[in-house]
PDB file of all heavy atoms in Angstrom:
ATOM      1  N   GLY A 176     -67.187  20.656 -17.245  1.00 97.00           N
ATOM      2  CA  GLY A 176     -67.455  22.079 -17.366  1.00 97.00           C
ATOM      3  C   GLY A 176     -66.194  22.904 -17.470  1.00 97.00           C
ATOM      4  O   GLY A 176     -66.161  23.920 -18.171  1.00 97.00           O
ATOM      5  N   ARG A 177     -65.138  22.469 -16.789  1.00 98.00           N
ATOM      6  CA  ARG A 177     -63.881  23.219 -16.842  1.00 98.00           C
ATOM      7  C   ARG A 177     -63.234  23.168 -18.217  1.00 98.00           C
ATOM      8  O   ARG A 177     -62.430  24.044 -18.566  1.00 98.00           O
ATOM      9  CB  ARG A 177     -62.915  22.698 -15.777  1.00 98.00           C
ATOM     10  CG  ARG A 177     -63.295  23.089 -14.356  1.00 98.00           C
ATOM     11  CD  ARG A 177     -62.173  22.829 -13.384  1.00 98.00           C
ATOM     12  NE  ARG A 177     -61.913  21.405 -13.207  1.00 98.00           N
ATOM     13  CZ  ARG A 177     -62.496  20.643 -12.290  1.00 98.00           C
ATOM     14  NH1 ARG A 177     -63.413  21.175 -11.470  1.00 98.00           N
ATOM     15  NH2 ARG A 177     -62.201  19.368 -12.168  1.00 98.00           N
ATOM     16  N   LEU A 178     -63.560  22.148 -19.003  1.00 98.00           N
ATOM     17  CA  LEU A 178     -62.988  22.027 -20.342  1.00 98.00           C
ATOM     18  C   LEU A 178     -63.739  22.843 -21.389  1.00 98.00           C
ATOM     19  O   LEU A 178     -63.221  23.060 -22.488  1.00 98.00           O
ATOM     20  CB  LEU A 178     -62.980  20.556 -20.784  1.00 98.00           C
ATOM     21  CG  LEU A 178     -62.025  19.618 -20.067  1.00 98.00           C
ATOM     22  CD1 LEU A 178     -62.100  18.223 -20.698  1.00 98.00           C
ATOM     23  CD2 LEU A 178     -60.594  20.137 -20.108  1.00 98.00           C
ATOM     24  N   LEU A 179     -64.956  23.271 -21.066  1.00 98.00           N
ATOM     25  CA  LEU A 179     -65.769  23.955 -22.068  1.00 98.00           C
ATOM     26  C   LEU A 179     -65.156  25.299 -22.463  1.00 98.00           C
ATOM     27  O   LEU A 179     -64.535  25.978 -21.633  1.00 98.00           O
ATOM     28  CB  LEU A 179     -67.179  24.200 -21.529  1.00 98.00           C
ATOM     29  CG  LEU A 179     -68.056  22.973 -21.288  1.00 98.00           C
ATOM     30  CD1 LEU A 179     -69.385  23.403 -20.680  1.00 98.00           C
ATOM     31  CD2 LEU A 179     -68.277  22.205 -22.579  1.00 98.00           C
ATOM     32  N   PRO A 180     -65.323  25.705 -23.716  1.00 97.00           N
ATOM     33  CA  PRO A 180     -64.909  27.059 -24.104  1.00 97.00           C
ATOM     34  C   PRO A 180     -65.618  28.101 -23.241  1.00 97.00           C
ATOM     35  O   PRO A 180     -66.775  27.931 -22.865  1.00 97.00           O
ATOM     36  CB  PRO A 180     -65.360  27.151 -25.574  1.00 97.00           C
ATOM     37  CG  PRO A 180     -65.462  25.733 -26.041  1.00 97.00           C
ATOM     38  CD  PRO A 180     -65.886  24.942 -24.843  1.00 97.00           C
ATOM     39  N   ARG A 181     -64.919  29.177 -22.925  1.00 96.00           N
ATOM     40  CA  ARG A 181     -65.457  30.209 -22.037  1.00 96.00           C
ATOM     41  C   ARG A 181     -66.340  31.161 -22.837  1.00 96.00           C
ATOM     42  O   ARG A 181     -65.900  32.207 -23.312  1.00 96.00           O
ATOM     43  CB  ARG A 181     -64.315  30.959 -21.349  1.00 96.00           C
ATOM     44  CG  ARG A 181     -63.482  30.069 -20.440  1.00 96.00           C
ATOM     45  CD  ARG A 181     -64.334  29.451 -19.351  1.00 96.00           C
ATOM     46  NE  ARG A 181     -63.603  28.451 -18.553  1.00 96.00           N
ATOM     47  CZ  ARG A 181     -64.116  27.335 -18.111  1.00 96.00           C
ATOM     48  NH1 ARG A 181     -65.375  27.057 -18.398  1.00 96.00           N
ATOM     49  NH2 ARG A 181     -63.412  26.490 -17.393  1.00 96.00           N
ATOM     50  N   GLU A 182     -67.591  30.789 -22.967  1.00 97.00           N
ATOM     51  CA  GLU A 182     -68.553  31.580 -23.745  1.00 97.00           C
ATOM     52  C   GLU A 182     -69.237  32.591 -22.833  1.00 97.00           C
ATOM     53  O   GLU A 182     -69.836  32.215 -21.817  1.00 97.00           O
ATOM     54  CB  GLU A 182     -69.585  30.659 -24.388  1.00 97.00           C
ATOM     55  CG  GLU A 182     -68.961  29.711 -25.411  1.00 97.00           C
ATOM     56  CD  GLU A 182     -69.893  28.599 -25.873  1.00 97.00           C
ATOM     57  OE1 GLU A 182     -71.070  28.589 -25.438  1.00 97.00           O
ATOM     58  OE2 GLU A 182     -69.436  27.753 -26.650  1.00 97.00           O
ATOM     59  N   GLY A 183     -69.144  33.855 -23.200  1.00 95.00           N
ATOM     60  CA  GLY A 183     -69.787  34.908 -22.433  1.00 95.00           C
ATOM     61  C   GLY A 183     -70.716  35.713 -23.312  1.00 95.00           C
ATOM     62  O   GLY A 183     -70.748  35.530 -24.541  1.00 95.00           O
ATOM     63  N   PRO A 184     -71.495  36.614 -22.732  1.00 96.00           N
ATOM     64  CA  PRO A 184     -72.401  37.449 -23.534  1.00 96.00           C
ATOM     65  C   PRO A 184     -71.626  38.213 -24.601  1.00 96.00           C
ATOM     66  O   PRO A 184     -70.613  38.857 -24.314  1.00 96.00           O
ATOM     67  CB  PRO A 184     -73.019  38.394 -22.500  1.00 96.00           C
ATOM     68  CG  PRO A 184     -72.881  37.682 -21.186  1.00 96.00           C
ATOM     69  CD  PRO A 184     -71.620  36.905 -21.281  1.00 96.00           C
ATOM     70  N   TYR A 185     -72.105  38.114 -25.824  1.00 96.00           N
ATOM     71  CA  TYR A 185     -71.452  38.818 -26.923  1.00 96.00           C
ATOM     72  C   TYR A 185     -71.883  40.282 -26.898  1.00 96.00           C
ATOM     73  O   TYR A 185     -73.085  40.580 -26.831  1.00 96.00           O
ATOM     74  CB  TYR A 185     -71.830  38.176 -28.262  1.00 96.00           C
ATOM     75  CG  TYR A 185     -71.174  38.829 -29.455  1.00 96.00           C
ATOM     76  CD1 TYR A 185     -69.855  38.547 -29.774  1.00 96.00           C
ATOM     77  CD2 TYR A 185     -71.863  39.744 -30.243  1.00 96.00           C
ATOM     78  CE1 TYR A 185     -69.238  39.162 -30.856  1.00 96.00           C
ATOM     79  CE2 TYR A 185     -71.256  40.362 -31.325  1.00 96.00           C
ATOM     80  CZ  TYR A 185     -69.938  40.057 -31.629  1.00 96.00           C
ATOM     81  OH  TYR A 185     -69.330  40.675 -32.697  1.00 96.00           O
TER      82      TYR A 185
END
Side-chain angles (χ1 to χ4, degrees):
R177 287 193 292 270
L178 291 183
L179 293 177
R181 297 301 173 219
E182 296 169 3
Y185 181 79

